[in-house]
């Protein structure tokens, strides 16, 4: 008995620690696995939130520049239907492409701008911005006289304008010829088109906000929440790369109103300007107003030393 | 044991594969976006096509694309003076300048609104040292008068202003002064422009002060009163 017992225990003797060891390792592994799974669930929870609002078609959609005309038509039809469903508005989303032989340039007469902010409001309405935050692509900066350093200004001024010791500097996307925002985008969701407009494919943007940090003009905006626009206030003249209502969690910016300007019209902010400070046009047309201004006025660009080469000019007269 | 290790290894290999795929496919896109952004066929909006075909047919006949005009708004005519009193039926009315001025001698001695004792009193006038008859026509009160004595209709007020404000007139002619509407591309549609007196009161021409109305609430302005993290939810009522 004893011998058999010893026999049975002696071969199992080396086994015991192994069995013990195995169960300890299993327990440790199980522990880590649970932790890992927990962390994973926590990490993807925003994705699950987003997935709730993402149809399979949207998820499978490819980059704008790779869409065939048929795919593009499908995408646009889907987006129009979604706008109807989510906002109750009938809209037409165009696919406006650059006009050959066009390079858009903007200029603002700072001697005339009085900081009234009508352009800011016009942008807000034209581009279907969130009503709650009064979002707009334009900031008008009240500047102390004697400097062009926009960081010295303030955007919070109110009341009667213009104030005697100030001038007013409206700043929006400068459609840089060397756009730092485009260089930093890890997924190429933003790029510069032939007419100079820097655009964003809102369906390709992953919302990392690198571009927002890279832009020296603070021109990019992030959609922290779903834009809220009452159906009656939705501007129905939309374009895929422009003022269609953007989804939550993506970056957007001024597109020189390409849904208007690529159809030959003036930008909304220009039409709204009561002082006539804004001038817009095609710099490749040598008879254009904008060319005359560049050739005859003292013209400034913002943060010239950064080498971003803006397509946006400021002048005094 | 080794099976779990194998599975783990396979998982890691898959992950690396996926990362390489993600890293390389946008690189291809980058070249695309810079060199051939127009590889996709340009789909013009419907009104675009309409304007283009219209201007194209014109281009064929004239050799040069037909352009729409730049329309400068004009005053509707001589101003009318609102009457203070009412007729027996209680109606008010307005009269032309000539109603009174055709039967009164022009008083060229009146230099400012302050020396008027009967009509036009209390008028604000702040326009340098010019006098009433520098611009108004003493011989025909329903028209204006240029410095050389030629009479000019009220509709042509810009001709009058441009005599002194030639710098502004030059800028205006090149779109660098005065507000506008419509099209930048005149081959696709017209442009409408303001005239001088749309923005400047001819008697006190300084551009009026304005009140700032609209303010975005962003990080450069006052913080949102209800700013908080939405944790990925689309709106306030979803979390
Ligand atoms: S202004 Fe900013 S957002 Fe616009 S192109 Fe330049 S860097 Fe990009
Ligand atoms: S936020 Fe969007 S557009 Fe900007 S860098 Fe990230 S992915 Fe690109």
């Amino acid at each position: 008995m004893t011998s058999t017992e010893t026999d049975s225990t002696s071969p199992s003797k080396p086994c015991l620690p192994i069995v013990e060891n195995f169960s300890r390792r299993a327990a440790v592994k199980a522990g880590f696995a649970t932790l890992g799974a927990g962390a994973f669930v926590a990490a993807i929870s925003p994705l699950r939130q987003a997935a709730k609002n993402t149809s399979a078609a949207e998820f499978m959609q490819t980059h704008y520049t790779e869409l065939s005309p048929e795919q593009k038509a499908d995408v646009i039809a889907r987006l129009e239907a979604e706008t109807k469903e989510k906002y109750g508005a009938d809209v037409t989303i165009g696919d406006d492409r650059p006009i050959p032989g066009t390079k858009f340039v903007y200029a603002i007469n700072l001697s005339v701008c009085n900081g009234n902010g009508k352009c800011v409001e016009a942008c807000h309405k034209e581009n279907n911005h969130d009503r709650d935050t009064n979002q707009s692509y334009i900031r008008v900066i009240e500047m102390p006289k004697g400097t062009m350093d926009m960081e010295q200004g303030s955007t919070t001024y109110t009341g009667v304008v213009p104030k005697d010791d100030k001038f007013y500097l409206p700043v929006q996307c400068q459609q840089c010829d060397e756009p730092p925002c485009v260089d930093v985008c890890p997924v190429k969701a933003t790029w510069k088109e032939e007419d100079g407009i820097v655009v964003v494919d809102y369906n390709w943007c992953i919302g990392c906000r690198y571009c927002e940090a890279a832009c020296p003009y603070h021109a990019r905006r992030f959609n922290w929440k779903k834009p809220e626009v009452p159906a009656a206030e939705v501007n129905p003249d939309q374009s895929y790369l422009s003022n269609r209502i953007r989804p939550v969690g993506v970056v957007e910016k001024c597109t020189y109103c390409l849904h208007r300007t690529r159809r030959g019209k003036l930008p909304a902010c220009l039409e709204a300007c009561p002082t006539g400070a804004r001038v817009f046009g095609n710099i490749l047309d040598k008879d254009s107003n904008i060319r005359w201004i560049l050739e005859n006025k003292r013209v400034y660009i913002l943060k010239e030393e950064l080498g971003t080469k803006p397509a946006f000019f400021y002048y005094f007269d | 044991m080794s099976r779990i290790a194998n599975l783990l290894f396979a998982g890691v290999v898959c992950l690396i594969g996926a990362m390489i795929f993600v890293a390389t496919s946008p690189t291809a896109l980058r070249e695309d976006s810079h060199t051939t952004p127009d590889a996709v066929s340009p789909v013009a909006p419907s009104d675009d096509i309409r304007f283009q075909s219209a201007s194209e047919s014109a281009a064929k006949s004239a050799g040069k694309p037909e352009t729409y005009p730049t329309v400068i708004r004009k005053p509707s005519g001589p101003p009318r003076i609102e009457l203070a009193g009412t007729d027996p039926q209680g109606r008010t009315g307005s009269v032309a300048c000539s109603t009174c001025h055709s039967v009164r001698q022009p008083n060229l001695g009146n230099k400012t609104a302050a020396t008027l004792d009967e009509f036009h009193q209390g008028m604000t006038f702040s326009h340098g040292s010019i006098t009433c008859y520098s611009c108004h026509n003493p011989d025909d009160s329903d028209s204006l008068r240029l410095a050389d004595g030629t009479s000019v209709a009220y509709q042509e007020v810009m001709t009058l202003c441009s005599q002194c404000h030639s710098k502004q007139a030059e800028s205006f002619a090149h779109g660098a002064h005065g507000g506008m509407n419509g099209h930048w591309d005149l081959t696709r549609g017209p442009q409408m422009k303001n005239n001088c007196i749309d923005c400047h009161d001819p008697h006190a021409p300084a551009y009026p002060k304005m009140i700032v109305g609209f303010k975005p609430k962003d990080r450069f302005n006052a913080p949102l009163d209800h700013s908080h993290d939405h944790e990925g939810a689309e709106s306030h009522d979803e979390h």
Side-chain angles (χ1 to χ4, degrees), chain A residues 95 132 139 155 161-162 271, chain B residues 182 209-210 215 217-218 221:
Chain A
D95 176 36
D132 187 27
R139 280 189 197 96
T155 59
V161 287
E271 291 202 337
Chain B
K209 296 248 177 190
M210 292 177 74
K215 276 280 163 194
K217 300 177 225 162
D218 71 359
N221 288 328

Side-chain angles (χ1 to χ4, degrees), chain A residues 252-303:
Chain A
E252 60 185 52
K253 60 180 278 298
C254 163
T255 61
Y256 278 179
C257 278
L258 65 79
H259 56 284
R260 300 170 61 93
T261 52
R262 283 184 182 170
R263 300 175 198 176
K265 291 199 235 157
L266 290 162
C269 49
L270 186 149
E271 291 202 337
C273 178
T275 68
R278 289 170 170 266
V279 187
F280 180 84
N282 175 15
I283 197 176
L284 300 182
D285 173 4
K286 64 180 181 0
D287 299 323
S288 63
N289 293 334
I290 202 89
R291 272 288 271 274
W292 185 84
I293 287 167
L294 297 183
E295 284 161 12
N296 290 280
K297 304 280 181 184
R298 274 201 309 155
V299 174
Y300 298 78
I301 56 175
L302 285 185
K303 302 194 182 185

Side-chain angles (χ1 to χ4, degrees), chain A residues 171-182 190 192 196-199 211-212 214-220 252-254 308-310:
Chain A
V171 179
Q172 62 211 74
C173 175
Q174 313 274 304
Q175 316 294 353
C176 309
D177 283 350
E178 300 287 345
C181 57
V182 168
T190 181
K192 191 173 176 69
I197 299 178
V198 174
V199 294
C211 55
E212 195 185 354
C215 172
Y217 307 98
H218 314 299
R220 291 192 168 235
E252 60 185 52
K253 60 180 278 298
C254 163
T308 49
K309 303 205 181 102

